[in-house]
Amino acid sequence: PALSHTERIDVLSTGANRVNDPALRARLLARIATELMFSSDWRRARTLAERARTEAGRANDPSVLPEVLMRHFHATCTPHNLEERRRYMRTVVEIADAAHDSVQLFFALSASASAAIEAGLRDEADDYLDVAFSLGVDADVPVLTYNVECIRVWRTGLDGDLDEAERLALSAIEIGKANGIANAAMGPSMQIGCIRWQQARFEELLPLLQMRPNTVDPSRSVLLSRALANVDRAHGEAAALLVRAAQQDFADVPLGLNWAGLMVAAAEASFLLGEARVARVVLAHLASFRDRVAFNGTWGIAPRAFAAGVAAAGAPGVAGATVDEYFEQAIVVCEQLRAPALRARTAMTWSRVLSERGAFPGKVVSLMEDARESLDDRRIDR
């Protein structure tokens, strides 16, 4: 912890280059990947995570697999390899359980639950988390207590009580700070940002997004563009940011935990701003993953079919029936997640798409009634 990011990379890289033991080299490579996954070297992080997994296989040492595969999971967490990640996380859970390592098992179960949410399998995710929470209570370790509170945030959000979810996010920050958890505010703050999106209040994040301008950061550009798209006088700036981020088909947007959520934001921004080319690119990225959920480990953002529907509505030449098919699929996924507030958000967005298309008003009215029923299903911040 006393070393800077650059110094840690240097130390870990030197060790990985010198060590002969493949098990130790696998751990070192995996840790470098973790250091790099949110940096501009995110491509190298994915490569190193894969090399670490190869080295762990060569080592034939089950004790090294949990750490290496957990780090691989986070460094390569995109819809493209969801089934692979779900498969090897089952191996990690089995190893950690056999080793009676409560902390390792907790995080393995938590990651498995995240993957289950990505797949739209709420019951499976709940089964994993029920065991994880029991471990967290029994172990009484601060880092687990903090993580349990963070997980309670997104579970409560799925259940539809966004007020309570926000209260839990603030509680998680206080628990983290009281127990010396590094960067305790980061995850819960991301959760509050996602709550604002679900409440259709994303423009309230503009002061935060504009605080540290970085014109070469495509991820920030996508989020800022989405927030500015709600401000009529800022549409020109929003469009410029979005088009810049979409250069080479979003090739510079990091493939990782936040990728799917950024595609949701880009889909909405392209529709609201009338950027048809960008909408077409987003649709191409998401078309194969419509049955899955954009989940960044802190919040179930939206079914990818939702983003595909919005992008299809903004892309040229896509039939209205195809757009409606995507939104229908998104509604089904919301039902699988038992997520009434997210279903309401989906229905309201679909109604806007239909209105702008000039569709028969009866369908719009039906969707708005569906949204109201979803909101009334539980006490929800409207």
Side-chain angles (χ1 to χ4, degrees), residues 151-224:
I151 293 168
R152 288 176 65 204
V153 177
W154 64 255
R155 287 182 90 178
T156 302
L158 277 183
D159 290 339
D161 194 339
L162 303 184
D163 281 343
E164 176 64 7
E166 185 164 345
R167 187 194 70 77
L168 289 169
L170 297 172
S171 170
I173 293 174
E174 293 306 312
I175 289 172
K177 289 180 177 179
N179 289 281
I181 305 297
N183 301 313
M186 185 177 296
S189 296
M190 288 177 61
Q191 292 176 319
I192 292 174
C194 293
I195 290 171
R196 292 292 175 269
W197 172 84
Q198 197 159 325
Q199 293 169 323
R201 296 165 56 190
F202 199 70
E203 68 276 7
E204 292 179 21
L205 301 182
L206 272 172
L208 179 64
L209 292 168
Q210 293 173 322
M211 191 179 299
R212 289 185 297 175
N214 179 355
T215 57
V216 300
D217 180 357
S219 299
R220 173 193 165 276
S221 294
V222 169
L223 294 177
L224 183 54

Side-chain angles (χ1 to χ4, degrees), residues 115-307:
I117 292 294
E118 286 184 74
L121 302 173
R122 175 70 187 269
D123 289 339
E124 182 178 315
D126 284 344
D127 288 344
Y128 283 126
L129 291 179
D130 287 344
V131 180
F133 281 18
S134 295
L135 288 169
V137 171
D138 292 342
D140 193 25
V141 177
V143 70
L144 299 191
T145 303
Y146 168 75
N147 275 273
V148 165
E149 194 77 348
C150 290
I151 293 168
R152 288 176 65 204
V153 177
W154 64 255
R155 287 182 90 178
T156 302
L158 277 183
D159 290 339
D161 194 339
L162 303 184
D163 281 343
E164 176 64 7
E166 185 164 345
R167 187 194 70 77
L168 289 169
L170 297 172
S171 170
I173 293 174
E174 293 306 312
I175 289 172
K177 289 180 177 179
N179 289 281
I181 305 297
N183 301 313
M186 185 177 296
S189 296
M190 288 177 61
Q191 292 176 319
I192 292 174
C194 293
I195 290 171
R196 292 292 175 269
W197 172 84
Q198 197 159 325
Q199 293 169 323
R201 296 165 56 190
F202 199 70
E203 68 276 7
E204 292 179 21
L205 301 182
L206 272 172
L208 179 64
L209 292 168
Q210 293 173 322
M211 191 179 299
R212 289 185 297 175
N214 179 355
T215 57
V216 300
D217 180 357
S219 299
R220 173 193 165 276
S221 294
V222 169
L223 294 177
L224 183 54
S225 173
R226 174 62 188 89
L228 290 169
N230 283 8
V231 182
D232 290 342
R233 66 180 182 279
H235 277 195
E237 180 185 357
L241 285 164
L242 183 65
V243 169
R244 187 183 308 135
Q247 287 178 352
Q248 301 176 42
D249 297 347
F250 291 103
D252 291 330
V253 171
L255 279 174
L257 284 164
N258 296 320
W259 182 85
L262 288 168
M263 288 298 104
V264 173
E268 287 192 317
S270 63
F271 173 73
L272 294 170
L273 299 169
E275 290 293 336
R277 193 198 72 79
V278 176
R280 186 168 56 244
V281 172
V282 174
L283 181 59
H285 277 305
L286 296 176
S288 301
F289 309 117
R290 297 193 309 275
D291 60 337
R292 299 175 185 176
V293 179
F295 184 74
N296 61 14
T298 68
W299 194 264
I301 298 168
R304 295 194 180 103
F306 168 92

Side-chain angles (χ1 to χ4, degrees), residues 11 19 27 33 58 61 69 89-90 129 131 192 212 216 227 231-232 269 327 379-380:
V11 170
V19 72
R27 290 182 190 273
R58 286 182 55 212
D61 179 358
L69 292 181
M89 285 312 302
R90 287 192 284 269
L129 291 179
V131 180
I192 292 174
R212 289 185 297 175
V216 300
V231 182
D232 290 342
F327 276 109
R379 187 185 66 79
I380 293 169

Side-chain angles (χ1 to χ4, degrees), residues 8 14 53 82 111 137 315:
R8 286 196 299 273
T14 300
R53 190 167 64 162
L82 173 59
V137 171

Side-chain angles (χ1 to χ4, degrees), residues 1-5 7-8 31 35 180 182:
L3 301 180
S4 69
H5 167 75
E7 289 169 330
R8 286 196 299 273
R31 292 186 186 201
E35 286 285 340

